[in-house]
Amino acid sequence: MVWRISGIYGQAEAAVELGRAQELDPLSLIINVALGWVYYLGRRHDDAIQVFLRTLELDPQLVQARSCLGLAYVQKKMYAEAITELEKAVDIAGRDPSLLATLAFAYGTAGNKIEALKLVAEITEQSLQRYVSPYRLALAYGAIDDKEQAFDWLRKGCEEHDPGLAGLKVEPMADPLRNDPRYLESLQRMGFPA
């Protein structure tokens, strides 16, 4: 939904439209999460944090709000808060591999490569039994500065048509990869304009 809104409008316009929707239905969890996500993608992290905190007041078990709050905290370099929120999201969601990869990203960004690699190992083990998003693993590897693995996983994600790749161009978690020429190659491989 958010990608569609952002694609139709652009982030500023999407935030306005979702703000109107939130005024009409302030208790809608999906509208609140979508608005917070658009703020996050637009790098309005303080606004995103505020929206996600309000959303969690409505439903403290809402994994999407909790994980997105964690990501906004990572971007603000509030690593302890980010890891706390992401660990809660992982627990609520039963150690979902995408959330584990997001938590690995947070640990890697915070400089705790050992914890990040432990999580990556757990995700790799899970991949023997269930689907694991190559895109999410690529972002986790980017956070621990293992560019070779990150771009190998991005290639695999492209080959598998991983839906997460739709956000590669705007996702703040992809920032560690942006200065590498392979990032532009990845965008071109997916048909995005450079």
Side-chain angles (χ1 to χ4, degrees), residues 3 6 11 37 40-43 135 165-175 178 183 187 192:
W3 294 120
S6 295
Q11 289 173 353
W37 188 248
Y40 166 77
L41 292 176
R43 299 175 189 268
Y135 171 65
L165 288 168
L168 180 63
K169 192 166 183 178
V170 295
E171 169 62 67
M173 288 173 64
D175 287 352
R178 292 191 204 285
Y183 173 78
L187 289 178
F192 286 119

Side-chain angles (χ1 to χ4, degrees), residues 110-131:
N112 191 337
K113 187 174 182 174
I114 292 169
E115 279 304 312
L117 287 171
K118 283 182 193 175
L119 291 166
V120 167
E122 182 178 344
I123 297 162
T124 304
E125 187 174 318
Q126 283 192 24
S127 74
L128 301 173
Q129 303 295 322
R130 65 192 292 191
Y131 176 76

Side-chain angles (χ1 to χ4, degrees), residues 3 131 133-136 138-139 150 153-171 177 183 186-187 189-190 192:
W3 294 120
Y131 176 76
S133 166
Y135 171 65
R136 290 289 174 192
L139 297 176
W153 283 102
L154 271 183
R155 267 189 296 284
K156 184 175 182 179
C158 193
E159 290 167 7
E160 293 181 6
H161 304 283
D162 186 331
L165 288 168
L168 180 63
K169 192 166 183 178
V170 295
E171 169 62 67
L177 305 175
Y183 173 78
S186 297
L187 289 178
R189 191 176 310 114
M190 290 181 284
F192 286 119

